[in-house]
Amino acid sequence: MAVTVSSWLLGIGALLSVADLWLSHRGQQARDEAYRAAVDANEIENATAFAAVTAVEGLFIILLWIIGAVLLVVIAVQNLRGRSASRNATWMVSGLMLCCPSVRFAGLAASLSDGDSTDPVDQRMNRILPGWFGDVALAVDFGLIACLLSAALLLTLRPVSRYFQSVRPSAEP
């Protein structure tokens, strides 16, 4: 039962990962637009190098999140089949994928509690992004953290260990 629940949580985590990817992409677009507008208004120094770095960073993050979402689904299916290596992969991939949403969750929670910022780029981003954006991003990040952490913790239970030990692949002649 715990393996099934863990696999469903990994599947939900994959869906939340895709939603998080879309929200991150939308936030990156707003940040780029806000920087361009701030540079045009001479509020900050030329940010051309910053824009190039963030574009490469954005593509790298998109690639990692797509790979992560696919891995979560594959691992969930392999866990249901009783593959011990997939249980270990669940811990590894979940641990790695917890890093980004955890940092972003802390940053979003801090920005929502701080109120208005004096940074011109932050002010422009607040005008560009819809009002619900921060709350939805916070909820998606929290859901992703909860799913990945719960799935990994469920796979540490003693009955799960027996399940993975009892399922052996059939010997082919």
Side-chain angles (χ1 to χ4, degrees), residues 2-3 8 26-27 34 45 52 55 58 63 80 91 101 136 154 163 169 172:
V3 175
W8 275 101
R26 179 65 184 113
E45 297 292 320
L63 180 64
L80 288 172
W91 294 328
V136 169
L154 278 173
Y163 170 76
E172 294 182 24

Side-chain angles (χ1 to χ4, degrees), residues 93-157:
V93 171
S94 295
L96 290 173
M97 286 187 72
L98 281 172
C99 296
C100 287
S102 298
V103 170
R104 197 169 39 247
F105 181 79
L108 281 169
S111 70
L112 288 176
S113 64
D114 284 346
D116 293 333
S117 173
T118 58
D119 184 28
V121 176
D122 286 341
Q123 290 174 354
R124 288 183 193 285
M125 280 184 62
N126 289 337
R127 286 192 299 260
I128 293 169
L129 293 171
W132 52 264
F133 185 83
D135 296 331
V136 169
L138 195 65
V140 167
D141 284 342
F142 180 74
L144 182 56
I145 291 167
C147 283
L148 293 177
L149 195 57
S150 299
L153 289 175
L154 278 173
L155 293 178
T156 63
L157 300 174

Side-chain angles (χ1 to χ4, degrees), residues 19-47:
D20 188 50
L21 175 64
W22 181 81
L23 290 169
S24 296
H25 178 67
R26 179 65 184 113
Q28 182 72 29
Q29 286 177 329
R31 185 179 311 117
D32 291 345
E33 187 178 327
Y35 268 102
R36 279 192 291 276
V39 168
D40 291 344
N42 292 326
E43 294 174 348
I44 60 172
E45 297 292 320
N46 189 354

